[in-house]
Amino acid sequence: MFGLNRERLRQMMRKEFRQTFRDPRSARILFVAPVIQLLLFGYAVNTDVRNTRTFVVDRDGTAESRQLTDAITASGYFQIVGRGERPAQLVDAMDHGTVVMGVEIPLGFAADLAAGRQASVQVLVDGSTANTANVALGYATQIITRFGLQHAREVLARAGPLPAVAGVDFRARAWYNPNLESRVYNVPAVMGTIVMMMSLLLTSLAVVREREIGTLEQLMVSPLKPAELILGKTLPVVLIALAQLVLVTGVALLWFGIPFRGSFALLAVAGLCYILSGLGIGLLISTISATQQEAFMSMFFFFLPAIMLSGFMFPVQNMPKVLQYLTLLDPIRHFLEVVRGVFLRGAGWGILYKQILILFAMGVSVLWFATTRFRKTTA
Amino acid sequence: MSKAVDVTGLTRAFGDFVAVDHVTFDVEEGEIFGFLGPNGAGKTTTIKMLTGLLAPSSGEGHVVGHDIRTESEFIKQRIGYMSQLFSLYGDLTVDENIAFFAGLYEVSGERLEQRREWVLQMSGLTAHRKRMTGELPLGWKQRLALGCAVLHEPPILFLDEPTSGVDPVSRRNFWDLIYTLADRGTTIFVSTHYMEEAEYCHRLALMNRGRLIALDRPATLRSAMAEPILELATDDGPAAAQALQGAPGIIEAAMFGRAVHVVVDDAARATHALPALLKSRGLAVHGITPVRPSLEDVFVSLVRREGGAVIS
């Protein structure tokens, strides 16, 4: 099976390169599309909560109520897009989806504070945007609590010197991503999905296209062996996909300023194994599909769940146990662990060797399976 | 004398459907061997088994002395193949297609130069060698495909309905090329459903429903047909053919172009009886002439003798 003929393999690869780069437009797409996608998704996939649209109903209309409103705006997390006197206005804005959060300061807020009574503020969030609502609510709670404490301290200070109180000093630090920017976390993952998509796109039509135009039959009556055909189609794609990986890595580093703390060699080796797994799957789809349309649909049937299960958007540890095991079959999941590790944490071979081995094993076994499947379908 | 192809009891079934049913024949070296039959007769399946694309369900076969079951690697080096599906890369130039297919057969160096020149000249594409193959007219593409199929100078060339969908002039040109190859000693194994193409072959195998129903020279096949045939000119051919089915002395009536070919048991008697018979059905007869049986007539008659229907 592996008695490969170098000349035939060379011919096959040369033909693939020629066909791929024949149309200058499609050649440009190969290298411009990943960059555009990374730029687009790099900005789009952003889970930071900033400038949350907020509606304020200030029924109190006092200096204290304005102070509270100012504190909320000053944080940068909220942007007041509407004000009103009646709660109905807030409900209306919420129903229309024009605001995500509403703050209602009741009549007598300032009076309660002055009298030393418990003052209350109502905060409403749009729960249909669960993620944003959760984060925004957290920020709002912090701001309002701090406002309350500060006010209490002022009242106490007026009454006389404060007794010494030993509080607990809370100091949080986020390692690897000190400002907790979601972009730092997401851009490397977007790179991973782009490389997978390109590998699948380049290979899933590779064999079935020839089946449709009839050249596959011509190849099968020639001395060309299945392994030569599969490798001849694989190797050019490996080179193209590696070039794309270099390109998107460059954009991530230079444009988005994502930190890179690990080793480029590790990223290259892991990338190579990842690309092998991706185009192995693509070729498998291509060899078992009867038409290009069928291949295209199968590709998406694989690609979308692979993204969902990869931990790209939803952390794997939040999934039910069964699904967590299923994610082990997902090459994207393993590669995302590598890119996040190597970019942000500077993880080395000792930590990431497992993922790399899994990707390599996946790539080789899927390619081998595609070759044998192909042998059977044509024999 | 060794045979280019010899096949014994070759059979291929797809589930319950037997596409090729115990076919036995052989092909001499240097012969133009025609495989004739309607679509679905099993021609393509047979060729696929001979070229190693499909494994036989049972039976034996040898191509250029190699077993089709166990030695397909050897066979693939020594055969040329061109199918009804046009099979060159449209997005490669003429030169690039030639280089690619030559490379698959390890034709290189000086020999590649020679063969390239030969193919370009034969297909008349020397002036268009840098053009994209996809832009060429179909007839040219077909000649180029033929050239690419014989770059490695195989002793035998398999052609599976090579001229389907081509205009008659191109088809004629294509057959001139086939003759050129045959003159140089290449065995040609060609399948077709064009009856006039079958006339060009040295020997013909007639296939119907997976079975070989006759195998001989075209002239012999024609003269072996015993019953005379009359060509009937009438205004309404289909109605006439219908009216004659089952009439006394009539074996078969079928459309042939715009005329009706009537197979009869006695030419003289039928010539006399036919006008009256049709007149009683309100059909006018403009003329009755005896004709030499065409291969199509032979084919229809053989199928009838077999007791089966032609599938087409």
Side-chain angles (χ1 to χ4, degrees), chain A residues 193-248:
Chain A
T193 56
I194 289 174
V195 169
M196 174 58 71
M197 188 165 73
M198 291 314 250
S199 308
L200 285 172
L201 269 177
L202 280 168
T203 49
S204 61
L205 301 182
V207 179
V208 69
R209 191 192 299 123
E210 296 217 21
R211 198 192 300 279
E212 268 190 13
I213 61 175
T215 43
L216 188 63
E217 203 175 68
Q218 200 67 42
L219 296 181
M220 293 328 292
V221 294
S222 84
L224 186 75
K225 297 204 175 74
E228 289 161 357
L229 178 111
I230 296 283
L231 272 183
K233 289 200 170 276
T234 306
L235 294 177
V237 181
V238 168
L239 293 179
I240 293 170
L242 270 179
Q244 290 172 335
L245 180 63
V246 169
L247 206 59
V248 289

Side-chain angles (χ1 to χ4, degrees), chain B residues 1-20:
Chain B
M1 159 125 199
S2 69
K3 307 282 187 190
V5 176
D6 74 275
V7 159
T8 317
L10 196 65
T11 300
R12 172 71 201 206
F14 298 98
D16 287 339
F17 173 66
V18 183
V20 175

Side-chain angles (χ1 to χ4, degrees), chain A residues 326-337:
Chain A
L326 194 61
T327 63
L328 293 176
L329 293 173
D330 184 354
I332 303 181
R333 178 216 152 129
H334 298 292
F335 189 62
L336 293 198
E337 281 174 8

Side-chain angles (χ1 to χ4, degrees), chain B residues 27-181:
Chain B
V27 179
E28 302 288 341
E29 276 180 2
E31 192 175 23
I32 301 181
F33 186 86
F35 227 45
L36 182 69
N39 290 328
K43 305 185 303 275
T44 296
T45 308
T46 307
I47 290 182
K48 282 190 168 170
M49 286 191 278
L50 294 177
T51 52
L53 285 173
L54 206 61
S57 304
S58 68
E60 294 287 311
H62 293 87
V63 172
V64 288
H66 293 288
D67 192 322
I68 59 170
R69 285 176 176 280
T70 55
E71 297 177 302
S72 67
E73 296 297 311
F74 291 103
I75 293 175
K76 284 176 177 176
Q77 310 263 7
R78 287 167 182 73
I79 60 170
Y81 171 81
M82 182 188 158
S83 75
Q84 56 202 14
L85 266 171
F86 173 69
S87 41
L88 294 173
Y89 295 97
D91 51 356
L92 295 184
T93 64
V94 171
D95 263 353
E96 287 166 348
N97 265 304
I98 294 174
F100 174 66
F101 284 104
L104 290 187
Y105 292 93
E106 295 172 81
V107 175
S108 58
E110 185 116 342
R111 187 160 166 239
L112 172 60
E113 293 308 313
Q114 278 174 16
R115 294 302 292 162
R116 192 206 310 272
E117 284 314 309
W118 181 84
V119 168
L120 288 172
Q121 216 155 44
M122 176 213 75
S123 55
L125 288 171
T126 310
H128 306 283
R129 54 195 293 173
K130 300 288 177 210
R131 275 179 72 180
M132 283 302 148
T133 309
E135 301 168 355
L136 302 176
L138 187 59
W140 293 16
K141 282 190 215 169
Q142 219 131 18
R143 294 207 297 267
L144 180 60
L146 180 70
C148 286
V150 296
L151 275 167
H152 55 303
E153 299 174 270
I156 181 166
L157 174 63
F158 290 91
L159 301 166
D160 189 8
E161 305 200 353
T163 58
S164 49
V166 184
D167 62 274
V169 176
S170 299
R171 209 185 296 162
R172 184 65 243 189
N173 288 339
F174 190 82
W175 273 92
D176 287 341
L177 291 179
I178 292 179
Y179 273 120
T180 312
L181 287 169

Side-chain angles (χ1 to χ4, degrees), chain A residues 156-157 160-166:
Chain A
L156 285 172
L162 288 174
V165 179

